[in-house]
Amino acid sequence: MSKPYVKQNIVNEVVYIEFFHPAHNSLPGNVLAELAQTITDAGNNKDVKVIVLKSGGDRTFCAGASFEELINIDDAATGKVFFSGFANVINAMRKCPKFIIGRIQGKTVGGGVGLAAATDYCMATKFAAIKLSELNIGIGPFVVGPAIERKIGLSAMSQIAIDANSFYPAEWAEQKGLFTQVYESTEALDNAVKATAEHLCTYNPEAMVEMKKVFWSGTDNWDDLLAERAATSGRLVLSEFTKEKLKTYK
């Protein structure tokens, strides 16, 4: 299937939410909106105890925001809406009363790192190198920054945000606390994700809801914070520097 999609499949009280886009799983606004809504609905579904977030394809989990849409932004309001896409998904994950397991099978860039960081328990393959490339085009990882900083700390987040050209290996992400385990193959990852998710289903759902609140304490202001960050990115994307930089990608 080469068209973008968000789909879900419920197996043994686990809902597997999968997104896909032919451009290395980069996510345009409409797919991000559908993803946020699907996560919210899964959180409200009484037949579901645990959520797994995954993407289609083999080697790329998520290449971040859609470059095609980014290049066409020509005013601040449109820019804020565009950058709010990942903010809305992260906030949906934050507010979801169920544990979300991340299944990261390959490279992840920019907003994709934010999605991985917003999961409650993130598992990956050794191919899942990460990069925050935003500074390369004259903006920064403003929207996803709080989620990444919360998971790996300000020092590590600063390092990958400044070193915007480099992919950091999955082992580095595991050492910093982004990934809980790193596996040799996608098959091994999938087996582990399934086992972990189904085991979590044997736990008290009320206890998991309360645990989730503890994990995300101190983030009640994120609706406003991420909206402000989206506005910052929306303003910067209109700068002369960024406009010139984006021309080289056309």
Side-chain angles (χ1 to χ4, degrees), residues 11-12 14 16-18 52-59 61 101-106 121-127 181-199:
V11 183
N12 298 334
V14 178
Y16 295 84
I17 297 174
E18 179 176 313
V52 172
L53 181 66
K54 60 187 291 193
S55 66
D58 294 328
R59 281 289 176 263
F61 171 70
I101 296 174
R103 178 254 194 201
I104 317 297
Q105 81 279 23
Y121 197 86
C122 198
M123 305 160 80
T125 69
K126 65 181 181 181
F127 307 107
Q181 284 103 11
V182 172
Y183 297 89
E184 287 293 310
S185 67
T186 302
E187 183 184 14
L189 171 66
D190 284 337
N191 289 337
V193 166
K194 179 178 183 291
T196 301
E198 291 184 2
H199 183 68

Side-chain angles (χ1 to χ4, degrees), residues 60-132:
T60 307
F61 171 70
C62 178
S66 165
F67 238 77
E68 198 175 319
E69 283 190 2
L70 181 66
I71 287 169
N72 291 321
I73 294 171
D74 56 10
D75 64 85
T78 305
K80 182 180 179 182
V81 169
F82 172 83
F83 287 105
S84 293
F86 274 95
N88 294 337
V89 176
I90 289 169
N91 277 322
M93 295 168 75
R94 171 176 70 86
K95 294 174 186 175
C96 178
K98 288 157 188 172
F99 287 161
I100 301 174
I101 296 174
R103 178 254 194 201
I104 317 297
Q105 81 279 23
K107 286 184 174 179
T108 187
V109 178
V113 183
L115 294 186
T119 64
D120 300 298
Y121 197 86
C122 198
M123 305 160 80
T125 69
K126 65 181 181 181
F127 307 107
I130 65 170
K131 178 165 77 167
L132 290 183

Side-chain angles (χ1 to χ4, degrees), residues 24-61:
H24 304 290
N25 288 330
S26 61
L27 296 177
N30 62 328
V31 176
L32 285 166
E34 189 178 353
L35 184 58
Q37 189 60 53
T38 303
I39 291 167
T40 299
D41 292 345
N44 295 326
N45 186 341
K46 291 182 172 57
D47 296 327
V48 167
K49 288 186 177 174
V50 175
I51 297 167
V52 172
L53 181 66
K54 60 187 291 193
S55 66
D58 294 328
R59 281 289 176 263
T60 307
F61 171 70

